[in-house]
């Protein structure tokens, strides 16, 4: 199996870390070179793309947008902004209907400032917040800007509401739950969360751990590494001559009118993925990632 290259999309169950999933896939495939795209908290389920073999080099170039479905419970505040933490406060939930919730959710669409949870992997002064929290330190994480592309109310069964979110990398759904509760005046915490899309892959492509363990690495489980790239970037197929130059890391002319700085997917003469490039001001493609370099 040493020649495997691509993406295995795992449907991560609750109760295990993303690191645990990487170790499992390594055992199932008999490979060391495995990486994952986008850490999930232990209690969160859903799409966890695994880069296999040389596809690990593509991870920094993939679109980081994610999609989730989550359930928020109103009427309480916790130390972790979800139900795994200590309850800090309970408040009565006001009489709310769908219109009230829609009005409150509107504040969270588009570019927003968000404060990460007190217990998170965000670094403050070089140390992750969860490490500080374990020592009993109270640290307020600095706010940062994130992008909420879409936020929809799916159901309202007091005191719980279910939402669907499409957002940029680095967005905390726990923070949305906490801040929505504050807007509504009663507090809120995330009850459950499932990621439905990451790096261009969706749940329809994901496999469960039992299926993976029963059928380790059939070809159908390893997705074409072009798939998450071609969805977001223009592509350029190399001629045989240009492919030889590409493999040596040489800049190549590009006839298509593309803006300077545009990231481009490069395909070899047979249509297989050759790597990633960026358009330079001189109208050339500068290789940034060459998957099969010469020599």
């Amino acid at each position: 199996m040493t020649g495997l290259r691509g993406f295995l999309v795992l449907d991560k169950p609750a109760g295990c870390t993303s690191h645990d999933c990487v170790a499992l896939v390594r055992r199932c495939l008999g490979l060391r070179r495995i990486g994952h795209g986008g850490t999930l908290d232990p209690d969160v389920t859903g799409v966890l793309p695994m880069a296999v073999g040389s596809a690990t080099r593509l991870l920094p170039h993939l679109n980081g947008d994610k999609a989730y479905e989550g359930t928020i419970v109103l009427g309480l505040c916790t130390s972790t902004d979800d139900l795994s933490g200590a309850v800090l406060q309970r408040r009565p939930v006001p009489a709310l209907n769908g219109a009230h919730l829609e009005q409150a959710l509107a504040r969270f669409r588009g570019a927003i400032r968000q404060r990460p949870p007190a217990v998170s992997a965000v670094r403050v002064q070089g140390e992750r917040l969860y490490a500080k929290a374990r020592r009993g330190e109270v640290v307020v994480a600095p706010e940062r800007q994130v992008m909420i592309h879409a936020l929809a109310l799916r159901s309202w069964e007091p005191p719980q509401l279910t939402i669907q979110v499409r957002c940029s990398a680095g967005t905390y759904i726990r923070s949305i739950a906490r801040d929505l509760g504050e807007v509504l005046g009663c507090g809120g915490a995330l009850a459950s969360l499932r990621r439905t899309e990451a790096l261009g892959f969706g749940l329809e492509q994901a496999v469960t751990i039992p299926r993976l363990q029963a059928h380790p690495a059939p070809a159908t489980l390893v997705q074409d590494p072009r798939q998450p790239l071609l969805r977001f970037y223009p592509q350029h197929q190399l001629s045989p001559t240009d492919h030889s130059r590409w493999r040596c890391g040489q800049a190549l002319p590009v006839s298509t009118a593309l803006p300077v700085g545009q990231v481009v997917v490069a395909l070899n003469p047979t249509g297989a993925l050759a790597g990633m490039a960026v358009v330079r001001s001189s109208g050339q493609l500068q290789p940034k990632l060459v998957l099969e370099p010469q020599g």
Side-chain angles (χ1 to χ4, degrees):
M1 296 185 186
T2 56
L4 284 178
R5 183 182 79 186
F7 289 89
L8 188 151
V9 188
L10 197 66
D11 187 348
K12 177 191 167 301
C16 62
T17 67
S18 298
H19 180 76
D20 293 336
C21 292
V22 170
L24 173 69
V25 173
R26 283 175 175 160
R27 291 194 299 271
C28 288
L29 301 188
L31 293 174
R32 291 294 302 167
R33 199 174 182 185
I34 305 287
H36 68 78
T39 300
L40 287 176
D41 290 342
D43 291 339
V44 180
T45 68
V47 173
L48 183 63
M50 297 283 185
V52 178
S54 60
T56 55
R57 298 173 62 195
L58 298 172
L59 287 173
H61 302 278
L62 300 182
N63 185 288
D65 288 351
K66 312 289 195 308
Y68 298 90
E69 181 165 300
T71 298
I72 297 169
V73 59
L74 300 178
L76 76 163
C77 302
T78 75
S79 59
T80 58
D81 299 326
D82 62 14
L83 298 188
S84 70
V87 176
L88 304 178
Q89 189 179 28
R90 292 186 183 275
R91 304 183 209 168
V93 179
L96 298 168
N97 57 31
H100 296 137
L101 293 173
E102 286 287 358
Q103 185 177 18
L105 289 171
R107 301 190 186 193
F108 298 92
R109 297 186 180 108
I112 65 170
R113 302 290 297 177
Q114 185 183 75
R115 176 170 54 84
V119 179
S120 66
V122 172
R123 291 184 184 274
V124 173
Q125 298 177 337
E127 189 174 17
R128 298 195 185 278
L129 284 180
Y130 60 69
K132 293 178 179 290
R134 287 171 185 161
R135 296 197 301 268
E137 297 182 30
V138 178
V139 179
V140 177
E143 289 188 346
R144 57 187 182 181
Q145 183 167 296
V146 297
M147 177 62 72
I148 309 299
H149 301 294
L151 175 57
L153 175 65
R154 304 305 301 169
S155 68
W156 168 231
E157 298 178 6
Q160 293 189 345
L161 64 146
T162 298
I163 60 172
Q164 288 183 332
V165 186
R166 182 173 296 277
C167 56
S168 63
T171 301
Y172 280 92
I173 311 303
R174 283 185 287 155
S175 293
I176 292 177
R178 176 199 66 214
D179 296 343
L180 176 64
E182 287 302 308
V183 168
L184 295 171
C186 58
L190 189 67
S192 65
L193 186 65
R194 182 161 175 76
R195 188 157 71 187
T196 56
E197 186 176 320
L199 305 186
F201 294 112
L203 281 171
E204 68 279 1
Q205 297 155 297
V207 296
T208 62
I209 285 179
R211 181 184 170 193
L212 176 63
Q213 291 173 323
H215 305 284
T220 55
L221 295 191
V222 179
Q223 307 290 331
D224 185 340
R226 292 177 299 169
Q227 184 169 344
L229 295 168
L230 298 182
R231 179 174 176 178
F232 298 107
Y233 302 115
Q235 55 185 299
H236 176 75
Q237 187 159 9
L238 303 169
S239 68
T241 300
D242 283 348
H243 186 229
S244 297
R245 295 174 58 192
W246 168 269
R247 295 183 63 197
C248 295
Q250 298 179 23
L252 304 169
V254 58
S255 58
T256 306
L258 293 171
V260 174
Q262 173 66 56
V263 176
V264 178
V265 174
L267 306 178
N268 70 19
T270 66
L273 185 65
M276 306 287 292
V278 65
V279 178
R280 300 198 311 191
S281 58
S282 57
Q284 291 183 313
L285 285 180
Q286 178 63 53
K288 302 298 290 184
L289 171 64
V290 180
L291 290 181
E292 296 179 352
Q294 184 67 45

